[in-house]
Amino acid sequence: MAHASARRDPARARERTLLALAAPALIVLAVLFVWPLIRLLSMSVEGGTLAQFEKAALDELYVAVLWDSLEIALIVTVICLVLAYPVAMWIVQAGRLGFILGMFFLLLPFWTSVLVRTYAWMVLLGRNGIINRMLRDWGWIEFPLPLLHNLLGVLIGIVHVMLPYMVIPIYAALLRIDPDLKRAAEGLGAPAWRTFLRVTLPLSLPGVFAGSALVFVITLGFFITPALLGGGRVVMIATLIEQQVREFLDWNFAAALATVLLVVTLAIYALLGRLTGGQGHAAR
Amino acid sequence: MSIRMTRRAALGAGLAAATLPMPAIGQGNAPKPDRIVVNASGGAMANLFRRTYNAEFEKRHGIRVVDTSPVDFGKLRAMVESGNVEWTVTELGGQDFVRAKQMNLLEPLDLSILDLSRYPEAVRDTHVFPSSVYSTVMAYRTDVFPNGSHPKSWAEFWDVRRFPGPRSLRNHPVDNLEFALLADGVAKDKIYPIDMDRAFAKLDQIRQHVTVWWTTGAQPAQLLVDREVVLASGWNGRFFDVANKGAPVSIEWSGGSAKQNAFGIPRGCKHPYWANQFLQVMTTPQLQAVYATELAYPGLHPDTVNYVEEKVRPHLPTTPANLEKQFWLGVDWWTENGQKAQEAWNRWMLRRG
């Protein structure tokens, strides 16, 4: 008993110290994020009416666009996951040089503005773009492939931007896995695929969850990439919010749209957390 | 220290402009801030601004001009409403200037400092400075349509059998509804009030031939250069620019949608006196001519055209031969109906097929 409380006290003191250290960041968050968020929410019900919400949540235009945005975010998340997992595994196993090379190529695009990268994709994917011209010169195709100004172009552009957000959390999770666990599985006669399915994959799920949540949520907020690579045909909810904010100054309606988006995002986030969080815990 | 000085100078300038009835006295006594902030479109335009208006203002008054971008209506409202007005003057995008004035976001212009007496009566305003004219026009690939075989009206732009090939229009109802009505046979002076049902019905016919609905001003010119499309609508200066650089692109002025670019002084601006002085510098015909020669966006001072290089004159939207082929965008209609039209446009864009 006495032993236990003696151990708890320094722990509590450390907790206090950590809280004190985190305080500046928490205050900054409260002032610059939580307060504006509250203002935003209150703006959506300005005048004591729910009319803005009625329009945002029931009008088929906004519902359809929100649905499309969720669909795009989901597809991007799945593609990123499929592409990112092997890359993360490779970086973990490739040693020092692999780590440096992998991270370099992964983070390189981060230093270029999204707008520039989007224009670069337009040069590559266009009807007379580099890819189509190459394929035609080789005689593989007769007519240019529609790679741009449609959903495909949008997906390519967003996946390119979002990939690092998926690789890095998975990489971190894989790195934390004790190599002895894998050796033990192999020692007990498990083939490589079973070791992966029963040991590596479950233990990396927190990273998968973190990466997926990041990619999904950030993708929902994209607007310049879909506008440029979608040729105007792919509309995402952020585009409509931006229109209301900047073009029509209808901030009450924009706030309602943003609130609906926030609620939907949080709901999905909670659902994802319950699904993968539960499994990750059980595996431990 | 420097912040305190600036604030005091700001207050001084504000007081001087607000209380002194005689501009001559104001000019003599208005304390100078060490800098003013001019917010306008970035890119090539910012560069030219620095070389012309900003440089002249700095030379004339010894006050540094800091330029910022982009033009942002939402930010303007946020600045004015929070009372923290960072911009001394700002460009007002598209047709926003009418609403900016209606929503009381602008200081009145001080016409004792800013001399607009030689400007055309129609563009003079109490709050909005008309800086230049631009036009949304049709442009085409000269190698696809050589020797004047290109579409010469929006009706012909719509005629995909006689003029085949992918097209690009802006992803926005402004101009497009007008173009659709013109294509449908409506006379230039009968466009407003816009019959939206009729316009969208006409747009239905061209819809599948428009491969790109463009978003940024640089896009349509680039799409023509890359041969992604053979016909496009866009701002005349952008096409002028690529044509100057040797691209096989040319403008058809018929049915162009002319409009003015505007500048204003945000309400609560810290140096309204110097804001008016800056706008006054912008009225200088010789400087407007430099701007027009390089970007094909002429200012509205009647003498400007005399200083524009001869070979550029046929490419200006205000050249009489060009102007008579175009119509003036109905700013009032768009101020009233813009949001409704945008929503209808979004719905129309989202319809599958």
Side-chain angles (χ1 to χ4, degrees):
Chain A
M1 213 27 204
H3 190 65
S5 74
R7 266 223 319 241
R8 205 180 297 149
D9 265 344
R12 205 176 288 164
R14 202 174 61 194
E15 211 169 276
R16 268 202 297 273
T17 316
L18 285 177
L19 188 68
L21 284 173
L26 290 177
I27 291 170
V28 168
L29 267 183
V31 172
L32 296 182
F33 185 71
V34 179
W35 174 239
L37 197 63
I38 293 170
R39 285 277 312 273
L40 179 83
L41 296 183
S42 63
M43 216 182 265
S44 63
V45 289
E46 212 169 73
T49 160
L50 289 177
Q52 308 286 359
F53 277 104
E54 212 177 295
K55 191 173 167 196
L58 296 180
D59 189 311
E60 62 176 318
L61 169 67
Y62 299 100
V63 174
V65 172
L66 181 62
W67 193 247
D68 285 357
S69 310
L70 292 169
E71 216 175 277
I72 290 172
L74 183 69
I75 299 172
V76 167
T77 307
V78 171
I79 297 175
C80 278
L81 187 58
V82 171
L83 292 177
Y85 207 102
V87 175
M89 280 186 83
W90 178 78
I91 297 178
V92 169
Q93 285 161 7
R96 217 180 132 65
L97 188 67
F99 172 79
I100 293 171
L101 270 179
M103 283 297 164
F104 179 74
F105 282 114
L106 205 59
L107 295 180
L108 190 64
F110 259 148
W111 300 323
T112 320
S113 98
V114 173
L115 203 60
V116 171
R117 281 189 271 168
T118 303
Y119 270 94
W121 279 118
M122 290 162 81
V123 173
L124 283 169
L125 300 175
R127 223 162 59 97
N128 290 298
I130 293 170
I131 292 176
N132 266 321
R133 249 189 326 216
M134 218 159 63
L135 292 177
R136 240 178 315 175
D137 288 349
W138 290 345
W140 290 13
I141 52 170
E142 202 171 332
F143 300 104
L145 300 172
L147 304 172
L148 191 66
H149 306 310
N150 52 27
L151 183 61
L152 180 63
V154 174
L155 290 177
I156 292 173
I158 301 183
V159 165
H160 180 230
V161 176
M162 294 313 301
L163 206 52
Y165 291 93
M166 188 66 97
V167 176
I168 291 166
I170 297 179
Y171 166 78
L174 288 173
L175 204 63
R176 274 201 305 270
I177 300 175
D178 187 344
D180 286 344
L181 289 174
K182 267 161 75 180
R183 254 173 255 146
E186 278 158 25
L188 291 169
W193 61 269
R194 180 165 288 176
T195 310
F196 174 77
L197 278 183
R198 301 291 297 271
V199 180
T200 313
L201 185 63
L203 286 175
S204 67
L205 277 183
V208 169
F209 168 56
S212 302
L214 264 179
V215 170
F216 188 85
V217 170
I218 298 177
T219 303
L220 270 181
F222 263 72
F223 70 89
I224 192 67
T225 308
L228 288 175
L229 298 181
R233 285 194 188 74
V234 181
V235 187
M236 289 185 74
I237 192 78
T239 316
L240 296 192
I241 296 176
E242 194 247 357
Q243 245 172 32
Q244 296 299 333
V245 172
R246 292 219 326 210
E247 215 171 320
F248 302 114
L249 302 196
D250 191 344
W251 291 359
N252 299 338
F253 184 50
L257 281 176
T259 305
V260 170
L261 178 62
L262 182 69
V263 169
V264 171
T265 309
L266 287 177
I268 291 169
Y269 194 85
L271 198 74
L272 256 178
R274 187 168 275 185
L275 287 177
T276 51
Q279 272 182 43
H281 194 72
R284 220 171 281 148
Chain B
M1 177 66 184
S2 83
I3 290 172
R4 259 210 348 249
M5 283 291 287
T6 314
R7 210 171 272 164
R8 201 183 306 151
L11 191 66
L15 282 177
T19 58
L20 294 176
M22 298 294 290
I25 301 173
Q27 190 160 16
N29 296 352
K32 288 183 179 181
D34 52 72
R35 53 176 215 162
I36 61 167
V37 179
V38 174
N39 185 64
S41 322
M45 230 175 256
N47 232 321
L48 196 49
F49 247 72
R50 241 170 269 146
R51 273 170 26 222
T52 53
Y53 306 128
N54 297 8
E56 176 65 20
F57 182 85
E58 288 175 346
K59 201 176 80 192
R60 242 186 243 181
H61 300 294
I63 299 170
R64 198 158 62 90
V65 178
V66 177
D67 51 87
T68 58
S69 70
V71 177
D72 189 327
F73 197 22
K75 198 167 170 185
L76 171 66
R77 178 180 163 186
M79 269 188 197
V80 171
E81 287 185 356
S82 68
N84 181 20
V85 180
E86 180 195 319
W87 300 332
T88 312
V89 295
T90 181
E91 190 179 337
L92 299 158
Q95 289 67 56
D96 292 344
F97 57 88
V98 182
R99 263 182 319 146
K101 184 178 163 187
Q102 276 176 355
M103 293 174 75
N104 195 17
L105 300 176
L106 299 178
E107 294 274 348
L109 300 175
D110 185 343
L111 295 177
S112 63
I113 303 170
L114 175 59
D115 178 15
L116 294 179
S117 56
R118 302 235 13 237
Y119 271 58
E121 190 110 25
V123 297
R124 271 188 254 165
D125 188 86
T126 51
H127 290 69
V128 178
F129 171 68
S131 55
S132 59
V133 175
Y134 70 106
S135 184
T136 310
V137 292
M138 182 200 307
Y140 58 95
R141 290 277 304 197
T142 50
D143 51 353
V144 177
F145 304 109
N147 311 320
S149 65
H150 62 277
K152 291 179 193 67
S153 67
W154 290 107
E156 294 191 340
F157 182 95
W158 251 251
D159 188 343
V160 292
R161 234 179 289 157
R162 265 180 68 204
F163 306 96
R167 290 140 159 80
S168 180
L169 290 170
R170 185 179 175 197
N171 185 8
H172 202 284
V174 164
D175 298 331
N176 282 335
L177 298 187
E178 284 91 338
F179 296 159
L181 291 181
L182 288 174
D184 207 26
V186 174
K188 268 196 314 193
D189 55 342
K190 296 280 188 309
I191 293 175
Y192 302 102
I194 289 177
D195 179 346
M196 286 218 274
D197 292 336
R198 183 172 176 182
F200 279 110
K202 190 68 185 174
L203 281 163
D204 280 339
Q205 297 174 12
I206 196 77
R207 185 185 169 100
Q208 65 178 100
H209 305 280
V210 177
T211 50
V212 186
W213 298 93
W214 58 268
T215 311
T216 64
Q219 256 178 305
Q222 194 58 45
L223 289 163
L224 283 173
V225 170
D226 295 342
R227 240 192 128 160
E228 284 290 313
V229 301
V230 298
L231 289 169
S233 71
W235 298 320
N236 66 288
R238 306 288 187 151
F239 298 131
F240 174 78
D241 180 49
V242 293
N244 267 352
K245 289 173 183 155
V249 169
S250 190
I251 289 174
E252 170 57 54
W253 290 97
S254 286
S257 169
K259 45 212 155 262
Q260 55 161 298
N261 227 29
F263 273 71
I265 306 171
R267 190 160 56 81
C269 156
K270 291 176 195 131
H271 316 290
Y273 174 81
W274 297 108
N276 280 289
Q277 286 288 8
F278 186 83
L279 296 179
Q280 174 60 19
V281 168
M282 286 184 71
T283 63
T284 315
Q286 289 88 338
L287 296 178
Q288 290 190 352
V290 176
Y291 198 78
T293 300
E294 294 199 22
L295 296 180
Y297 296 136
L300 282 151
H301 195 289
D303 294 344
T304 295
V305 68
N306 303 331
Y307 300 98
V308 174
E309 280 178 32
E310 194 95 38
K311 65 177 184 357
V312 176
R313 285 182 204 170
H315 302 288
L316 300 182
T318 46
T319 301
N322 293 338
L323 198 56
E324 67 179 22
K325 292 181 186 166
Q326 305 168 67
F327 65 93
W328 286 95
L329 184 86
V331 177
D332 294 332
W333 190 88
W334 282 103
T335 304
E336 189 126 325
N337 302 287
Q339 197 166 3
K340 202 174 74 193
Q342 180 70 54
E343 210 161 75
W345 179 266
N346 288 343
R347 277 179 220 287
W348 184 79
M349 285 302 287
L350 271 178
R351 238 179 39 215
R352 312 280 187 238

